[in-house]
Amino acid sequence: MKKRYRTVNDYYREIFGEKIFKLPIDAGFDCPNRDGTVAHGGCTFCTVSGSGDAIVAPEAPIREQFYHEIDFMHRKWPEVHKYLVYFQNFTNTHAPLEVIKDRYEQAINEPGVVGINIGTRPDCLPDDVIDYLAELTDRMHVTVELGLQTTYEETSELINRAHSYELYVETVKRLRERAPKAEIVSHLINGLPGETHEMMVENVRRCVTDNDIQGIKLHLLHLMTNTRMQRDYHEGGLKLLSQEEYVSIICDQLEIIPKDIVIHRITGDAPRDMLIGPMWSLNKWEVLNAIDKEMERRDSWQGCKVVSKKEEKA
């Protein structure tokens, strides 16, 4: 059944002509929100692996990780031979430029690599790093995945995000100016403490209206063991979303996202042994199917409620 939103799998088939693998790599970067550069302790939802819990061999050298991931993926899809290198966990531009170059080049020059995805923060993209990314766009497909999580300053402070939405907007503008061929994917989390259904929809509206981005990742908040947010939950400061609430939020968000923006994720994965909740999120295909059914019930599509500039003026 054709999805009612623009999936990343369909998009990659459009530009690469076939199915590809995204290979998550731990390149050994830290986070400025942990090491004292901007704050200590990290975001309250973040695990000790910095969202890299699914990486197959995080302790191995970068090139070995690359081939470990390929071997793992080929067990299910042996016919796939094009790859995106995904520097995923922590902040993968949080280092001097020469260090960043050295670590990236260890993986992106391997056979079959057609692109690179870089997970980072808006406070870790100085001009020299952006200029390097612009150079990479002449060699391959480059995607900068910018963690935003929320557009509300009160939520940002509550989760110890340690950067403002204003800084995020400024960083997107600099990326567009200095590396125009790089694609920008924004990350938002649904279910953060204190945010209502309406606030979560507004997060998306601001993100796609204020910023020239090409993709979006919508995450469900996973409450994980050994995180600062675990304490908030046990003290009653956090209410986890039900599956029905989450599906409703996602569908409302999809309806206001312009049709040309690629949906890189509308749910997420979490290790079962580390997840406190919501436990229903472990049944990923059930969640995806519920979203499809709700969009069909509404007879709605991605972008069906986008208001054009002409309509706004009227």
Side-chain angles (χ1 to χ4, degrees):
M1 180 180 72
K2 183 173 175 57
K3 297 286 187 181
R4 291 173 175 250
Y5 53 91
R6 193 180 188 199
T7 70
V8 68
N9 285 336
D10 287 345
Y11 174 62
Y12 284 153
R13 285 185 183 274
E14 288 172 21
I15 61 175
F16 297 118
E18 58 191 89
K19 183 176 176 62
I20 63 167
F21 286 157
K22 185 186 287 186
L23 306 176
I25 299 290
D26 184 338
F29 292 102
D30 204 340
C31 176
N33 201 10
R34 289 173 177 263
D35 66 10
T37 304
V38 297
H40 290 280
C43 297
T44 61
F45 56 79
C46 199
T47 66
V48 292
S49 69
S51 301
D53 303 297
I55 296 174
V56 173
E59 302 299 326
I62 290 172
R63 189 170 179 274
E64 286 185 28
Q65 288 186 54
F66 177 85
Y67 285 102
H68 277 300
E69 293 291 341
I70 288 176
D71 290 343
F72 180 76
M73 296 289 190
H74 277 168
R75 296 174 193 174
K76 189 171 183 180
W77 296 286
E79 74 283 359
V80 178
H81 298 287
K82 286 185 179 179
Y83 316 110
L84 291 175
V85 176
Y86 182 19
F87 291 104
Q88 179 181 14
N89 56 326
F90 293 118
T91 306
N92 293 278
T93 56
H94 182 45
L97 178 60
E98 59 270 22
V99 174
I100 293 170
K101 282 185 175 181
D102 175 67
R103 295 181 187 180
Y104 286 11
E105 300 288 340
Q106 290 181 53
I108 61 179
N109 292 311
E110 293 301 315
V113 174
V114 294
I116 179 174
N117 284 45
I118 302 152
T120 188
R121 290 167 51 99
D123 53 3
C124 285
L125 281 164
D127 287 346
D128 62 343
V129 172
I130 294 177
D131 292 343
Y132 169 57
L133 300 182
E135 293 172 18
L136 286 181
T137 61
D138 293 328
R139 295 163 52 186
M140 63 187 61
H141 190 266
V142 175
T143 302
V144 181
E145 300 201 12
L146 272 181
L148 172 58
Q149 320 314 355
T150 181
T151 66
Y152 289 92
E153 300 307 329
E154 59 268 33
T155 308
S156 185
E157 291 178 14
L158 194 61
I159 64 174
N160 196 41
R161 188 66 194 160
H163 70 74
S164 66
Y165 178 56
E166 181 182 6
L167 176 62
Y168 177 87
V169 173
E170 292 172 358
T171 302
V172 171
K173 288 178 180 176
R174 286 195 302 112
L175 273 164
R176 288 274 60 84
E177 291 167 359
R178 303 184 77 98
K181 292 193 290 184
E183 295 193 353
I184 301 173
V185 176
S186 295
H187 290 214
L188 290 169
I189 296 178
N190 288 324
L192 290 173
E195 293 205 345
T196 63
H197 184 126
E198 292 73 23
M199 291 171 72
M200 293 177 228
V201 175
E202 179 64 10
N203 277 328
V204 167
R205 190 201 64 76
R206 291 176 181 175
C207 194
V208 299
T209 302
D210 299 350
N211 304 282
D212 181 5
I213 64 171
Q214 290 66 55
I216 195 164
K217 274 188 173 180
L218 300 172
H219 299 256
L220 167 68
L221 174 67
H222 289 128
L223 181 62
M224 309 288 280
T225 57
N226 301 318
T227 60
R228 293 168 68 188
M229 193 171 282
Q230 181 181 4
R231 180 192 61 200
D232 298 335
Y233 176 67
H234 289 309
E235 291 177 354
L238 173 66
K239 176 183 176 295
L240 299 179
L241 294 173
S242 69
Q243 181 173 313
E244 292 74 19
E245 289 172 320
Y246 186 73
V247 168
S248 178
I249 291 163
I250 285 289
C251 293
D252 286 350
Q253 291 172 327
L254 288 173
E255 290 175 347
I256 63 168
I257 297 173
K259 294 178 181 178
D260 60 323
I261 290 181
V262 180
I263 310 301
H264 284 247
R265 178 175 292 167
I266 55 173
T267 185
D269 300 292
R272 182 181 293 270
D273 61 343
M274 297 178 65
L275 183 66
I276 297 171
M279 299 310 292
W280 55 261
S281 66
L282 292 170
N283 204 337
K284 184 175 180 178
W285 287 108
E286 182 177 306
V287 179
L288 293 173
N289 289 337
I291 293 167
D292 290 341
K293 288 178 181 177
E294 177 61 13
M295 293 292 281
E296 185 177 1
R297 186 193 69 78
R298 298 182 182 195
D299 194 25
S300 66
W301 303 80
Q302 178 183 337
C304 68
K305 292 185 179 178
V306 171
V307 178
S308 68
K309 296 294 184 182
K310 187 181 293 185
E311 289 173 316
E312 283 180 354
K313 291 178 181 177

